């Protein structure tokens, strides 16, 4: 199957978490294949993986979901935490009676992957952490962003900010439909969902505890990433025992900017003996 071919998706499904939040998810691929769980960036939906879904579905049973506050999931008020965001994943797996998965997370998804690797290693087979960080302090910078994004009318400005942080300038000024599609995802995200997730990032510091990750781990970093710097990926790979580091010449969304290289790197890691 070619990388740009579309794939027929299963219907949109929902489950309700222990704290009463309805979470949306989709499953694609043959039931007899190992499960690959995908977790996306903040201010996007599970559709962030549309470009990779056809190829991943050839090899895996692909499970995608929308974070609380994102996509088709509910948006609870207040600050979120990575303990709660990680437990959303565990509860999803429990509902589907899935014992273990390969986990691939990018940006916010990579932080959730770190939490799972530390606190729920029995649910993870192989772990892939992309364009992510164990710490993005200081807390004060997040307080300002949280306050600002919750102000009416500010989401358009933040959508522009995300595009500049996620894509190289040549993609921003091209007629490629990818950037507008991601901007649309940001604008469809509720400000409370972004603010709640930023609160989790504000309170995060796993720089030491990622040393407890025992599962085989691949770290993918972007050479030109200004959000989660290359040094952040290097630190994770250095701290997680026996982790492998791959540096792509990408900005933040390496799965989009360098799709072929991203796919080959991930598949090689997941299919190696």
């Amino acid at each position: 199957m070619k990388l740009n071919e579309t794939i027929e998706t299963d219907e949109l499904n929902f489950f309700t978490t222990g704290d009463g939040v309805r979470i949306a998810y989709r499953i694609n691929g043959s039931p007899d294949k190992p499960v690959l769980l995908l977790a996306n960036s903040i201010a996007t939906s599970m559709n962030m993986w549309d470009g990779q879904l056809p190829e991943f579905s050839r090899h895996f049973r692909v499970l995608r979901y929308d974070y609380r506050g994102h996509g088709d999931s509910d948006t609870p008020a207040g600050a979120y935490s990575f303990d709660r965001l990680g437990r959303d994943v565990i509860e999803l797996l429990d509902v589907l009676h899935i014992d273990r998965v390969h986990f691939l997370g990018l940006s916010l998804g990579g932080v959730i992957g770190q939490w799972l690797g530390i606190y729920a290693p029995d649910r993870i087979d192989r772990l892939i952490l992309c364009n992510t960080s164990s710490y993005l302090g200081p807390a004060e910078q997040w307080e300002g962003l949280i306050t600002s994004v919750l102000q009416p009318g500010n989401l358009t400005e933040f959508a522009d900010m995300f595009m500049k942080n996620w894509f190289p300038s040549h993609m921003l000024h091209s007629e490629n439909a990818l950037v507008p599609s991601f901007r649309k995802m940001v604008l469809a995200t509720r400000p409370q969902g972004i603010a709640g997730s930023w609160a989790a990032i504000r309170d995060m510091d796993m720089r030491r505890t990622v040393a407890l990750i025992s599962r085989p781990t691949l770290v993918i970093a972007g050479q030109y990433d200004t959000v989660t710097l290359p040094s952040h990926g290097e630190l994770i790979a250095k701290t997680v025992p026996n982790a492998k580091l791959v540096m792509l010449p990408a900005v933040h969304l390496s799965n989009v900017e360098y799709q072929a290289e991203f796919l080959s790197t991930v598949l090689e890691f997941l299919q190696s003996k």
Side-chain angles (χ1 to χ4, degrees):
M1 183 177 292
K2 296 179 181 178
L3 295 181
N4 61 355
E5 286 183 335
T6 58
I7 187 167
E8 183 177 351
T9 59
D10 292 342
E11 65 180 289
L12 186 65
N13 299 287
F14 297 90
F15 83 99
T16 301
T17 64
D19 63 338
V21 176
R22 194 174 73 150
I23 300 292
Y25 68 93
R26 293 184 188 271
I27 303 176
N28 301 86
S30 174
D32 62 349
K33 296 184 182 299
V35 178
L36 172 62
L37 175 55
L38 305 179
N40 37 278
S41 171
I42 193 171
T44 68
S45 70
M46 67 178 86
N47 297 114
M48 192 193 91
W49 301 103
D50 284 354
Q52 296 76 58
L53 186 61
E55 183 66 16
F56 281 151
S57 297
R58 289 182 57 203
H59 307 279
F60 302 99
R61 182 75 162 163
V62 180
L63 173 60
R64 297 173 294 156
Y65 75 105
D66 286 331
Y67 304 132
R68 50 182 61 209
H70 292 69
D72 289 299
S73 294
D74 287 348
T75 306
Y80 305 162
S81 71
F82 280 108
D83 182 73
R84 183 62 257 180
L85 294 174
R87 292 184 187 282
D88 288 347
V89 174
I90 294 171
E91 290 184 27
L92 172 60
L93 298 182
D94 287 346
V95 164
L96 298 175
H97 304 289
I98 298 172
D99 292 330
R100 294 166 69 93
V101 297
H102 296 311
F103 186 95
L104 165 56
L106 189 146
S107 195
L108 179 64
V111 183
I112 294 170
Q114 292 172 68
W115 188 95
L116 292 167
I118 295 166
Y119 297 104
D122 57 312
R123 309 308 293 269
I124 302 297
D125 190 351
R126 297 193 178 198
L127 181 62
I128 306 175
L129 309 172
C130 308
N131 299 87
T132 194
S133 178
S134 296
Y135 174 72
L136 284 170
E140 292 75 17
Q141 68 179 355
W142 298 107
E143 294 289 356
L145 287 169
I146 291 166
T147 299
S148 182
V149 78
L150 290 174
Q151 297 302 311
N154 280 1
L155 192 55
T156 298
E157 179 182 341
F158 277 101
D160 294 337
M161 180 195 76
F162 279 121
M163 295 307 102
K164 291 177 183 177
N165 287 341
W166 290 352
F167 297 104
S169 58
H170 72 85
M171 290 185 70
L172 294 174
H173 299 103
S174 73
E175 296 183 0
N176 192 307
L178 276 171
V179 173
S181 71
F182 274 82
R183 192 173 189 276
K184 185 176 180 181
M185 271 190 268
V186 174
L187 293 173
T189 306
R190 278 76 68 200
Q192 173 56 54
I194 298 174
S197 301
W198 273 342
I201 294 171
R202 175 197 63 198
D203 301 334
M204 167 193 74
D205 189 350
M206 293 187 283
R207 286 174 291 182
R208 295 178 65 183
T209 49
V210 290
L212 299 174
I213 295 176
S214 59
R215 306 308 305 156
T217 301
L218 168 67
V219 179
I220 298 176
Q223 183 179 355
Y224 304 106
D225 193 339
T226 59
V227 180
T228 53
L229 302 176
S231 59
H232 295 187
E234 291 170 344
L235 180 60
I236 294 172
K238 180 180 179 181
T239 308
V240 176
N242 302 311
K244 177 183 179 183
L245 173 67
V246 172
M247 187 74 65
L248 294 178
V251 184
H252 192 57
L253 298 186
S254 55
N255 65 311
V256 177
E257 189 181 352
Y258 283 90
Q259 178 171 267
E261 293 85 349
F262 183 91
L263 284 169
S264 63
T265 299
V266 169
L267 292 175
E268 179 182 359
F269 174 72
L270 292 180
Q271 295 174 332
S272 62
K273 301 296 185 182

